[in-house]
Amino acid sequence: MHSKTLFRALYYTLGMLILALGLTLNTKTGLGVSPIISLPYCVSEVFSLNFGNTTLVAYCVFVAIQFALRGKNARLYDLLQIPLSLVFTRVLNLYSVVFDVHFAHLWQNLLLLAVAIVCTGVGAAMTLDMKLVPNPGDGIVQALAEFFHRETGLTKNLFDLLNVTLTFLLGLATGRFLCGIGIGTLLGVLGVGRVIAVFNKLCKETIVRQAGIA
């Protein structure tokens, strides 16, 4: 295999694994889950459904929205996000079992939250930079950024805020006030987009060159 192709596959796979780790660790802090999965998490809690499965459904909706935004410029290979979602959500379920951590002290959970936010941002940036099949949560951010001609990090912040708002409304409507939402969710809204921006500023040029991406 060509070295550049190997680098591209390596960065892409590593990015997905880091992203899944970040999302999982966020659910373990007890401070609220990552904004991008807050709605499927709340649905799973309210209706006693499997978290991985509700996330899969949400990701399929994200793919549909991407096609709607791009219209006749839609890319058929974006449909590959659906089987990718199936694998990704199984990794989420696996990580949830493997990383079964529960800290008693607030400072420990805040430290875990910081690690989760960094992992989520770095993983998202790496997968997007490789320009292969994105995770649907990142693919929809990319599609929105292109549609509205905005920077990816800012678009991520705004999309996260939308997800948190919908989650809040669902929790309010079902009597599960602040279901899945906490200080960790709000910090995630601010933090993940900024981590993406900082990572791209520091590392994007290097990794895309190694991966042979123009």
Side-chain angles (χ1 to χ4, degrees), residues 186-207:
L186 299 178
L187 289 175
V189 170
L190 299 173
V192 174
R194 294 305 91 199
V195 170
I196 291 174
V198 171
F199 179 87
N200 281 338
K201 184 176 182 179
L202 297 176
C203 305
K204 182 176 180 178
E205 183 179 349
T206 300
I207 65 173

Side-chain angles (χ1 to χ4, degrees), residues 159-211:
F159 185 67
D160 282 348
L161 185 59
L162 173 63
N163 278 279
V164 171
T165 301
L166 293 176
T167 302
F168 174 77
L169 292 175
L170 176 61
L172 199 62
T174 57
R176 297 290 295 270
F177 186 64
L178 296 182
C179 173
I181 299 176
I183 187 174
T185 310
L186 299 178
L187 289 175
V189 170
L190 299 173
V192 174
R194 294 305 91 199
V195 170
I196 291 174
V198 171
F199 179 87
N200 281 338
K201 184 176 182 179
L202 297 176
C203 305
K204 182 176 180 178
E205 183 179 349
T206 300
I207 65 173
V208 298
R209 183 176 65 251
Q210 291 177 338

